[in-house]
Amino acid sequence: MFLCCGDALFDLFASPGGSKGSINLNGTVGGSPLNVAVGLARMDNPTGFLCKNSFDVFGTRIQQFLADNDVSLDWLISSSQNSTLAIVELDDQGVATYVFYTDNTADISLQVAELPKTLPTDIGLIHVGSYSTAVDPTGSSLLSLVQREQNQRLISYDPNIRPSIEPDLDIWRERFSGYAATAKLIKASDEDIATLFGADCAFDEFAADAISQGTELVFVTRGGNGALAYSCSGEQFSADGIAVDVIDTVGAGDTFQAAVLHGLQAQKAIDRTSFVTSQINFQETLDFAVAAAAVTCTRRGADLPSLDDITSFRNGKV
């Protein structure tokens, strides 16, 4: 079983048109770790989601959306605080920019004392990431959780840098260091790496540094240019991007993350505290994840694909 932890919000897309002095918004459930949880569940993996979730109108919809997608609600913590909102605008290529409303909202208010005291033994991997790892108290609380659990199950981490929420990059670097020290799998985008370590930081250098500190698998996504994979055994693989008619790129990175984790589980490469790298078909894992992300780019918002959707796409049926 997978357990994803962190962001839970509504993406409010600003629609074109409308009269002067007005704005049209179309809302969908989002949040990077939540998207990963839904993606894993749609790929037929038992998955739970841990977060502090509002019981306002948005939080109620979030909870129902998770239930409708067969994501376990056992680790949701109800809160009277408001839900986080993100206003999303798209450019001509469908690339999103975000403005977040996170002041004292539920998903960034998780306290250490509210963490589950123990986790079931069937949870084989915990995934964390995005702004909920950088903004306190949730950031410190989730760090405490993965530090507590890292010797009992695998940790997966996606920094998914959001400077518009936390503009102090030194805080992001400090948190990256803390979470990366627990993680056996790190997925980062080219933008994440450039933001954290500068535009001249080579992907090979980033991966080698992470692996030298105990990470076993590193994946780097490069938008339309595809993705790279690095293993602790010294292997490196690449996959080209797939040309599609892009509606928007919202959720593409989360889809890639979910597809990688699904692939590793399907290959029986997830052990209690390490990956069985000898069982991983890295090229197939990359190709599958890139295809899954491409499907999401053909849809509005973070609408992650099912296994059947991905198979049909790879077979040229959609």
Side-chain angles (χ1 to χ4, degrees):
M1 184 175 189
F2 295 100
L3 180 64
C4 300
C5 313
D7 318 355
L9 56 83
F10 251 80
D11 288 322
L12 301 177
F13 290 82
S15 303
S19 61
K20 292 182 180 179
S22 68
I23 185 169
N24 298 322
L25 298 174
N26 181 34
T28 59
V29 174
S32 178
L34 183 149
N35 292 338
V36 175
V38 170
L40 283 166
R42 289 183 178 178
M43 296 176 202
D44 299 331
N45 299 281
T47 306
F49 186 60
L50 187 159
C51 78
K52 197 167 182 178
N53 184 51
S54 177
F55 48 70
D56 65 11
V57 62
F58 297 104
T60 301
R61 300 286 182 92
I62 288 169
Q63 181 167 329
Q64 187 60 56
F65 181 75
L66 289 168
D68 289 346
N69 280 279
D70 297 321
V71 176
S72 173
L73 307 180
D74 289 350
W75 296 279
L76 285 190
I77 301 159
S78 294
S79 171
S80 61
Q81 294 161 290
N82 291 334
S83 295
T84 294
L85 302 176
I87 307 299
V88 187
E89 290 191 277
L90 305 173
D91 66 15
D92 293 340
Q93 284 72 50
V95 177
T97 56
Y98 299 85
V99 177
F100 291 90
Y101 293 82
T102 58
D103 186 22
N104 196 37
T105 52
D107 65 339
I108 62 169
S109 301
L110 178 66
Q111 302 283 343
V112 170
E114 295 172 311
L115 293 171
K117 302 302 181 185
T118 61
L119 293 174
T121 57
D122 65 341
I123 294 176
L125 184 144
I126 298 173
H127 173 70
V128 293
S130 199
Y131 66 78
S132 56
T133 63
V135 180
D136 282 336
T138 296
S140 295
S141 298
L142 291 181
L143 181 58
S144 175
L145 176 69
V146 296
Q147 288 173 336
R148 186 189 83 188
E149 298 293 329
Q150 64 179 317
N151 294 323
Q152 302 175 68
R153 62 201 91 233
L154 292 168
I155 308 299
S156 163
Y157 172 49
D158 172 12
N160 195 33
I161 308 299
R162 292 286 183 256
S164 59
I165 294 180
E166 175 48 73
D168 188 341
L169 293 181
D170 284 339
I171 291 176
W172 282 101
R173 294 185 187 103
E174 178 185 353
R175 286 299 165 81
F176 178 87
S177 178
Y179 279 95
T182 72
K184 295 299 185 183
L185 185 155
I186 295 175
K187 191 278 283 184
S189 70
D190 49 3
E191 292 181 352
D192 291 333
I193 295 169
T195 300
L196 283 173
F197 304 112
D200 58 345
C201 179
F203 303 144
D204 294 4
E205 176 187 347
F206 171 82
D209 184 63
I211 289 170
S212 71
Q213 298 182 59
T215 300
E216 295 179 352
L217 303 176
V218 176
F219 293 86
V220 177
T221 57
R222 303 182 296 159
N225 294 318
L228 304 167
Y230 302 84
S231 80
C232 58
S233 56
E235 298 171 293
Q236 177 180 338
F237 300 84
S238 66
D240 293 333
I242 300 173
V244 294
D245 293 328
V246 175
I247 300 299
D248 67 51
T249 61
V250 177
D254 304 326
T255 305
F256 181 93
Q257 179 84 54
V260 164
L261 294 177
H262 166 80
L264 296 174
Q265 176 69 12
Q267 295 170 54
K268 303 186 186 308
I270 295 179
D271 202 356
R272 293 307 303 170
T273 57
S274 65
F275 290 102
V276 187
T277 56
S278 61
Q279 294 190 191
I280 301 173
N281 183 332
F282 283 96
Q283 195 61 59
E284 169 59 20
T285 303
L286 269 184
D287 291 343
F288 177 81
V290 168
V295 174
T296 296
C297 289
T298 67
R299 302 173 170 186
R300 176 69 65 192
D303 185 3
L304 281 72
S306 68
L307 275 180
D308 286 344
D309 294 334
I310 301 166
T311 299
S312 294
F313 177 79
R314 298 185 77 189
N315 291 336
K317 294 181 180 179
V318 293

